Amino acid sequence: MCLNIFRTFKSYFGCNITFVPKESALVGIGGCIGSVARYQINEWIPSLLGTFIVNVLGCIAIGFLMYESIYFGAFSRNSRLFLGAGLIGSFTTFSAFATQTIEAGLFYGIIFIAANILCGLMGVFIGRQIILRGRRSWNI
Amino acid sequence: MCLNIFRTFKSYFGCNITFVPKESALVGIGGCIGSVARYQINEWIPSLLGTFIVNVLGCIAIGFLMYESIYFGAFSRNSRLFLGAGLIGSFTTFSAFATQTIEAGLFYGIIFIAANILCGLMGVFIGRQIILRGRRSWNI
């Protein structure tokens, strides 16, 4: 009964908002692990470099997961929710990226933005390459 | 004893990595809430617009928190860890931003990057404005 109330309800805006407790729990547990991992890396390597490393590593991981679902599809929807929306989504961050850009000033800020964007996008392609190489070596 | 082992240990790389269970728990709980909130907003408003809204809202919140600590300092270190590194850090995301940029193609990808960066940085300044207005109206 309580679950049914939660599952789908009509909002004040007239939109159907779906809430699936199991999916949200998977995202939440993944998000918990991802945020603690990010925090620990930022404690170890503080400031701009820490956020840069976290964002690029996360982009490699999400690229791997994204192209895995295209070329293999071995992970279930729940695993992808846990890893993608939860763990990797929380591991990477845009808010620290924005505040550190402002704190860095104009010159270093522009370099920081360019480095994050370019290496982040490259990271997604590195994730794709890992998948494509695996595909070739396993002859799938 | 167990806590002491955890607290500070010499890594294989010769660096001191500090692990404070209470701080990590605060970040983790905040990260859990933030990731579920982001997931729910992305379910409601999928694709580029959802990620854009999430990142800009997160930037306003982190700007508020950052300048609050500069001008007021009412939040404790633990509250800022819970809200900043945990909740807001996990609410915003760089990994979905990167994959959606690639999926959007060159034209929309560039617009998406520019919109996120410009509105994200503006969001931090909106957070600052909220703090400054509060300061003025309370005569602090």
Side-chain angles (χ1 to χ4, degrees), chain A residues 11 13 15-20 23-24 27-29 31-32 35-36 38-40 43-44 55 58-59 62-63 66-67 77 81 84-86 88-90 92-95 97-99 101-103 113 116-117 120-121 124-125, chain B residues 11 13 15-20 23-24 27-29 31-32 35-36 38-40 43-44 55 58-59 62-63 66-67 77 81 84-86 88-90 92-95 97-99 101-103 113 116-117 120-121 124-125:
Chain A
S11 82
F13 309 103
C15 299
N16 277 319
I17 301 173
T18 315
F19 179 80
V20 185
E23 290 183 358
S24 295
V27 171
I29 296 165
C32 178
S35 58
V36 173
R38 167 171 42 77
Y39 173 66
Q40 284 303 321
E43 282 288 286
W44 190 30
N55 280 345
C59 283
I62 202 81
M66 183 172 126
Y67 289 103
R77 178 178 148 77
L81 278 178
I88 304 168
S90 289
T92 60
T93 182
F94 196 87
S95 53
F97 164 71
T99 52
T101 299
I102 289 168
E103 282 176 327
I113 289 172
N116 267 273
I117 301 283
L121 296 180
V124 178
F125 285 114
Chain B
S11 82
F13 309 106
C15 300
N16 276 318
I17 301 173
T18 316
F19 179 80
V20 184
E23 290 184 358
S24 295
V27 172
I29 296 164
C32 177
S35 59
V36 173
R38 167 170 42 77
Y39 173 67
Q40 283 303 320
E43 282 288 285
W44 189 30
N55 280 345
C59 283
I62 202 82
M66 182 172 129
Y67 290 103
R77 178 178 149 76
L81 278 177
I88 305 167
S90 290
T92 61
T93 182
F94 196 88
S95 53
F97 163 70
T99 53
T101 299
I102 289 169
E103 282 175 327
I113 288 173
N116 267 275
I117 301 282
L121 295 181
V124 178
F125 286 113

Side-chain angles (χ1 to χ4, degrees), chain B:
Chain B
M1 169 64 188
C2 187
L3 274 185
N4 277 334
I5 292 171
F6 263 132
R7 211 169 285 271
T8 306
F9 63 93
K10 203 88 176 163
S11 82
Y12 290 114
F13 309 106
C15 300
N16 276 318
I17 301 173
T18 316
F19 179 80
V20 184
K22 192 189 164 191
E23 290 184 358
S24 295
L26 284 166
V27 172
I29 296 164
C32 177
I33 299 166
S35 59
V36 173
R38 167 170 42 77
Y39 173 67
Q40 283 303 320
I41 290 181
N42 267 313
E43 282 288 285
W44 189 30
I45 311 160
S47 191
L48 302 176
L49 187 62
T51 304
F52 171 78
I53 288 173
V54 149
N55 280 345
V56 174
L57 283 181
C59 283
I60 296 172
I62 202 82
F64 179 88
L65 200 69
M66 182 172 129
Y67 290 103
E68 191 283 333
S69 84
I70 294 172
Y71 295 120
F72 289 101
F75 288 103
S76 66
R77 178 178 149 76
N78 283 345
S79 312
R80 277 188 281 121
L81 278 177
F82 170 76
L83 291 169
L87 207 150
I88 305 167
S90 290
F91 184 66
T92 61
T93 182
F94 196 88
S95 53
F97 163 70
T99 53
Q100 287 175 349
T101 299
I102 289 169
E103 282 175 327
L106 192 66
F107 181 68
Y108 289 108
I110 289 171
I111 292 175
F112 184 58
I113 288 173
N116 267 275
I117 301 282
L118 290 177
C119 298
L121 295 181
M122 217 182 287
V124 178
F125 286 113
I126 291 170
R128 183 172 179 255
Q129 275 311 105
I130 297 168
I131 282 296
L132 289 177
R133 277 178 186 236
R135 209 186 174 199
R136 234 176 292 148
S137 55
W138 294 320
N139 274 326
I140 298 170

